[in-house]
Amino acid sequence: MAFNLTDEQKMIQHMIREFSRKVVAATAAERDRTKEFPADNLKKMSDLGLMGMMVPLEFDGSAADTVGYVLALSEIAYSCASTAVVMSVHNSIVCESILNFATREQKEKYLKPLAMGKMIGAFALTEPHAGSDPVSQSTTAVRDGDEYILNGTKRFTTTGKNAGLIIVTAKTDEAMRHKGISAFMVEQGTPGLIVGGIEDKMGLRASDTADLIFENCRVPAGNMLGDPGDGFKIAMKGLDGGRIGIAAQSVGVAGAALDAAVKYAKGRAQFGRKISKFQGLRWIIADMATELEAARQLMLSAAAMKDRGENYTAQASMAKLFASEMVNRVTAKALQMHGGYGFTKDYPVERFYRDARVFTIYEGTSEIQRIVISNNILKDKRKP
């Protein structure tokens, strides 16, 4: 690895690697079959400080940097992508958004229990008719005294059923377009918040993806996150960090697929010798490893830029774009190398292949990433 890790970052990586492969991996295949939410994994991860990794110590977090966080996240994804996506949304988007935009009182009330894993966070942005175009969302929040009344439907909400706190975006001023979107922290169980259908997904099956329906859901005005009209800005900033998290998940799953392919190739004999001796397969493995390493470096570079306080929007999109498309190629090649066995549930590459497919879609499709990247490259830097 060309990227120079600190002793602390190496310690995090080694500790979580051991935990992930001993504890998280043990139930991953069964969770994929039963769709059981990984609550026990998350409890153990909380004990290790993984549910508030980038939260300062004063709010009961681990005060890790972003590089340390993505190293840990990729190790969890290596064993169970379903567990990793819950960890990613919780840390990258929910905790970070509250840390960046909440008042001191809100942080005391919500960030501390989130960082300690006493509740899991979700972020509700997507709607049935507003996915890649969040400005077109139709959920509304109308002020009524000391409360806002929320009405609308959110779709594809990761951990929507099992989250204790949900950050919800809603229009508070239709005429202001993206500057008329605000964000609210809504506790699970609030009257008027209804958990709707749970998606039956191709992959990440142990992570619930839910519809959230708001029917005259009254939220205290004090639960607005940031100022009125900050919702779009909160979402975009959260997604920047979240996209590095998707890159980390992609690196983890691809690493697992590569290792599985290498193990299989070394053990499988055809035509009187191990298939790992065939030049065609050796070159495929070389390409897989090269792509994986390139994705890892993009991930670490974007994370380091974030830690240095630099503008990392384009780099986060580059990391997400390349890594998410890389993991789809790598898992497909790993499955192909297994031959007919790769198409069965007896080998984990079948699960890796299914889990990887959504990485090019959620938190901004590959097409959206290309728009973000090209906009950053082509903008006229001569303008103030």
Side-chain angles (χ1 to χ4, degrees):
M1 181 182 294
F3 198 93
N4 291 322
L5 301 179
T6 66
D7 289 342
E8 181 180 357
Q9 290 162 351
K10 290 176 183 177
M11 181 192 72
I12 290 172
Q13 184 180 46
H14 294 155
M15 178 181 71
I16 305 309
R17 178 174 295 172
E18 182 177 6
F19 165 78
S20 176
R21 300 187 190 188
K22 284 185 178 179
V23 177
V24 177
T27 59
E30 182 66 10
R31 288 186 197 285
D32 176 68
R33 187 180 69 82
T34 64
K35 299 193 286 187
E36 180 188 357
F37 186 73
D40 50 347
N41 281 351
L42 297 170
K43 173 63 172 65
K44 293 170 184 174
M45 289 160 62
S46 299
D47 294 340
L48 293 173
L50 297 185
M51 302 311 287
M53 285 200 71
M54 296 174 288
V55 176
L57 297 175
E58 64 176 313
F59 297 112
D60 296 329
S62 301
D65 59 14
T66 312
V67 170
Y69 163 65
V70 296
L71 291 170
L73 179 57
S74 63
E75 292 298 339
I76 297 297
Y78 182 99
S79 298
C80 179
S82 293
T83 302
V85 70
V86 177
M87 174 184 171
S88 181
V89 171
H90 176 90
N91 276 278
S92 299
I93 303 183
V94 179
C95 288
E96 284 268 286
S97 294
I98 295 174
L99 178 64
N100 290 328
F101 292 95
T103 64
R104 177 86 193 191
E105 182 181 3
Q106 289 171 335
K107 291 175 185 176
E108 292 284 343
K109 184 176 182 180
Y110 292 124
L111 188 54
K112 282 188 173 183
L114 285 166
M116 296 177 70
K118 292 181 178 178
M119 65 167 66
I120 304 300
F123 194 88
L125 175 66
T126 299
E127 297 187 3
H129 302 291
S132 296
D133 180 17
V135 178
S136 295
Q137 65 185 280
S138 58
T139 299
T140 59
V142 178
R143 184 74 182 250
D144 182 31
D146 292 333
E147 297 176 318
Y148 279 88
I149 304 173
L150 272 62
N151 280 285
T153 299
K154 295 294 184 179
R155 178 145 293 171
F156 301 139
T157 306
T158 300
T159 325
K161 177 183 177 182
N162 288 282
L165 185 74
I166 303 144
I167 298 177
V168 182
T169 59
K171 286 188 173 179
T172 48
D173 188 341
E174 178 78 31
M176 294 292 290
R177 290 187 53 76
H178 72 280
K179 293 184 178 180
I181 298 171
S182 300
F184 300 87
M185 294 173 287
V186 184
E187 297 180 27
Q188 192 76 267
T190 300
L193 167 56
I194 302 161
V195 177
I198 308 298
E199 301 295 342
D200 187 12
K201 301 175 304 200
M202 174 191 292
L204 304 183
R205 291 174 59 79
S207 161
D208 64 284
T209 302
D211 279 0
L212 296 177
I213 303 159
F214 298 87
E215 292 184 353
N216 295 321
C217 178
R218 289 183 171 269
V219 178
N223 274 32
M224 179 181 280
L225 182 59
D227 296 323
D230 277 353
F232 185 81
K233 177 173 68 175
I234 290 169
M236 293 304 103
K237 186 174 178 65
L239 287 173
D240 279 349
R243 286 164 182 166
I244 304 177
I246 304 301
Q249 293 171 58
S250 300
V251 166
V253 174
L258 175 60
D259 286 353
V262 169
K263 179 180 178 182
Y264 184 82
K266 286 182 174 180
R268 174 74 166 168
Q270 291 284 275
F271 305 103
R273 56 178 175 161
K274 302 297 184 185
I275 64 172
S276 61
K277 299 295 184 181
F278 291 104
Q279 178 174 286
L281 288 186
R282 295 174 75 90
W283 284 13
I284 291 172
I285 288 171
D287 287 343
M288 293 163 70
T290 301
E291 286 201 65
L292 173 58
E293 184 60 23
R296 182 181 289 113
Q297 295 302 323
L298 279 169
M299 171 195 78
L300 291 170
S301 176
M305 288 182 71
K306 180 173 180 288
D307 285 334
R308 292 193 299 267
E310 299 172 14
N311 185 330
Y312 63 96
T313 295
Q315 282 69 25
S317 284
M318 288 177 182
K320 199 269 189 189
L321 171 63
F322 185 84
S324 65
E325 300 213 339
M326 173 278 299
V327 71
N328 276 276
R329 291 189 293 267
V330 166
T331 54
K333 289 175 181 176
L335 191 152
Q336 185 75 12
M337 288 175 65
H338 280 70
Y341 292 110
F343 200 62
T344 72
K345 293 187 182 295
D346 294 333
Y347 287 81
V349 290
E350 182 268 347
R351 169 166 53 90
F352 301 153
Y353 182 77
R354 288 185 290 106
D355 285 344
R357 188 60 192 87
V358 77
F359 293 166
T360 62
I361 298 171
Y362 65 3
E363 293 191 32
T365 63
S366 290
E367 292 72 26
I368 291 295
Q369 304 315 313
R370 291 183 172 99
I371 291 172
V372 172
I373 295 164
S374 60
N375 283 350
N376 274 268
I377 292 171
L378 296 171
K379 66 184 177 182
D380 191 340
K381 293 183 173 62
R382 292 172 298 177
K383 292 181 180 180

